[in-house]
Amino acid sequence: MPHRVAVIAPSPVSMFNVAIPELLFGKVEADGRPCYEVIVCAADPGPVPTTGGLDLYVRHGLDAVREADTVVVAGTGAPFEPEPRIVAAIRAAGADGKRIASICTGAFQLAEAGLLHGRKATTYWAHAAELRKRYPRVQLQDDVLYVQDGPYVTSSGYAAGIDLCLHLIRSDYGAAVANEVARLALVAPVRPGGQTQFAHTPLPPERGTACADTRGWAMRNLDKPLTLTDLARHAGVSVRTLTRRFHAESGVSPLQWLLHQRVERAKELLETTTLPMDQVAAACGLGTADSLRAHLVRRTGLTPSAYRAQFSRLQEGMNLAV
C-alpha cells in the first residue's frame, strides 16, 4: 500500500505550500507503482481561500488525517489564529504516533496542539519572534531550513518546504531516491536542515549619532586590522566611553558590530566578484581564508565556495572589480 500523506490546508492557505508535497511525493515510484498517496484536506471541504486571493477546491475533510501515515500542515496567511478543528486533528494524530510535519507558518498549528513543547522547531523567519512569544516552551531554531525532533518535522518558509519533503523521502527511501526526485522536479538536491534560511539579519537599529563618524570611518577601512583602541582614537574618547556609547547607539559592542560588517562585506564580495578566497578575506579584514571560512560557516552554514556557488550575481563570463 502507498504511504498515505494528508496535507492540511488551513485558511487562507498558501497554494505553493499545498502544491509542494504532491509535486515531490508524487514522483516516487517503485516497480512502476506510486510509493505515496497524497490527499489534500481542510476543516471545511469545498472552496478554501488562499493567500493569493483565489479559492482552492478541497474535496476531503479532516477525516483524511485519521487514515494518514504522515500529516503535513501547510502554511497560512493567518498563522496567529490556529483553527481549533485542525489543532484537534493533529493533536489526535500525534497521540496515534503519526509523523507530522509543517511548512512555513503551519508550525503555529503544531505548537498550539502542544506537539512542539520541549522540542526543537522552526518556522518562517519573519514570524519566528511571534512563535517564540506565544509558545515559549518550543525550542525555536529560527535560522535553519528545517528541523526534525522525534516524529515532528518543521520547516521555514516558501521553498524550504521542498527541502522538508525531500528530507522525508530520504528518510523513507534513502538519499539516492530523494536526489532523483529532486532531479525530476528540477530543484536542488537534498540540503542539510541546519543550513541557514539566509534571511537578512540586520543589527539593531541605531539610536544615536555620536559614533556615526567612527562607524563610517570603520566601514571605509574594513581591510585594515582595526582595534578598539583605533576606534576610540578616531572617536576622540577612551575605550570605555566608546564601548558604552557604541552599545547605547548600536545595541552591540564595537567589535561585534565590526565583525558583522566584515562578514557582510565578505558575502558581498563572494556574490559580486571572482576574487580568490584569501583576497576576499583580506579585503574585508578577516585575515585569512581559514578565518573567512570559519566566520561564514558560523553565520550561514555554508563554506565560502558554496555560498558563492549559490548566490553569485555575476553574469556568465563577467568579472566585477572590487
Side-chain angles (χ1 to χ4, degrees):
M1 292 291 293
H3 184 105
R4 294 175 177 173
V5 180
V7 181
I8 300 177
S11 175
V13 70
S14 164
M15 292 181 66
F16 183 43
N17 281 188
V18 171
I20 289 171
E22 193 282 327
L23 169 68
L24 298 177
F25 292 128
K27 294 187 180 302
V28 184
E29 294 184 350
D31 298 325
R33 297 181 179 181
C35 293
Y36 293 96
E37 177 186 4
V38 180
I39 297 175
V40 178
C41 59
D44 294 307
V48 175
T50 71
T51 54
L54 303 175
D55 284 347
L56 178 69
Y57 192 87
V58 178
R59 293 186 176 89
H60 302 279
L62 295 176
D63 288 349
V65 173
R66 291 198 294 267
E67 304 300 323
D69 302 300
T70 294
V71 180
V72 179
V73 185
T76 171
F80 312 144
E81 302 171 10
E83 161 60 54
R85 288 169 293 174
I86 292 177
V87 171
I90 60 177
R91 184 183 291 126
D96 288 341
K98 299 180 187 294
R99 182 171 63 182
I100 304 176
S102 67
I103 300 175
C104 196
T105 55
F108 282 82
Q109 310 278 346
L110 273 65
E112 182 69 17
L115 302 184
L116 302 181
H117 289 177
R119 294 183 181 273
K120 296 177 182 178
T122 192
T123 190
Y124 181 43
W125 65 269
H127 298 304
E130 188 65 26
L131 191 143
R132 180 180 285 110
K133 175 183 176 182
R134 290 170 179 263
Y135 308 102
R137 294 176 61 185
V138 177
Q139 297 179 26
L140 185 65
Q141 298 186 325
D142 55 4
D143 60 348
V144 298
L145 292 177
Y146 61 88
V147 60
Q148 178 164 4
D149 192 329
Y152 308 126
V153 195
T154 53
S155 79
S156 57
Y158 299 104
I162 296 174
D163 298 291
L164 178 143
C165 290
L166 289 174
H167 166 73
L168 296 180
I169 294 171
R170 178 177 58 184
S171 299
D172 293 339
Y173 293 101
V177 172
N179 286 331
E180 176 63 13
V181 169
R183 187 185 69 82
L184 292 172
L186 299 178
V187 297
V190 180
R191 295 188 291 178
Q195 183 171 311
T196 180
Q197 294 184 30
F198 299 112
H200 180 50
T201 53
L203 294 172
E206 295 176 358
R207 298 182 292 273
T209 59
C211 297
D213 287 346
T214 297
R215 288 194 294 268
W217 172 79
M219 288 291 292
R220 295 189 296 272
N221 291 276
L222 287 178
D223 59 326
K224 298 179 175 60
L226 301 178
T227 65
L228 265 177
T229 301
D230 295 328
L231 295 173
R233 184 181 299 114
H234 182 274
V237 297
S238 67
V239 169
R240 184 175 181 179
T241 299
L242 173 80
T243 301
R244 184 179 68 252
R245 290 181 181 176
F246 215 101
H247 198 283
E249 293 184 10
S250 302
V252 294
S253 72
L255 293 184
Q256 287 175 322
W257 178 89
L258 189 60
L259 178 59
H260 179 92
Q261 304 303 335
R262 293 191 192 283
V263 174
E264 290 301 305
R265 176 61 171 157
K267 289 163 63 178
E268 178 185 345
L269 292 175
L270 290 170
E271 293 172 17
T272 60
T273 77
T274 57
L275 287 173
M277 299 308 170
D278 56 346
Q279 292 185 32
V280 172
C284 61
L286 289 175
T288 65
D290 287 342
S291 177
L292 168 65
R293 178 188 177 92
H295 286 295
L296 199 68
V297 168
R298 187 176 301 117
R299 183 69 63 86
T300 70
L302 293 179
T303 64
S305 58
Y307 184 91
R308 171 173 277 166
Q310 287 203 28
F311 296 101
S312 175
R313 300 199 296 268
L314 292 176
Q315 295 179 8
E316 185 173 353
M318 179 184 291
N319 180 14
L320 299 182
V322 180

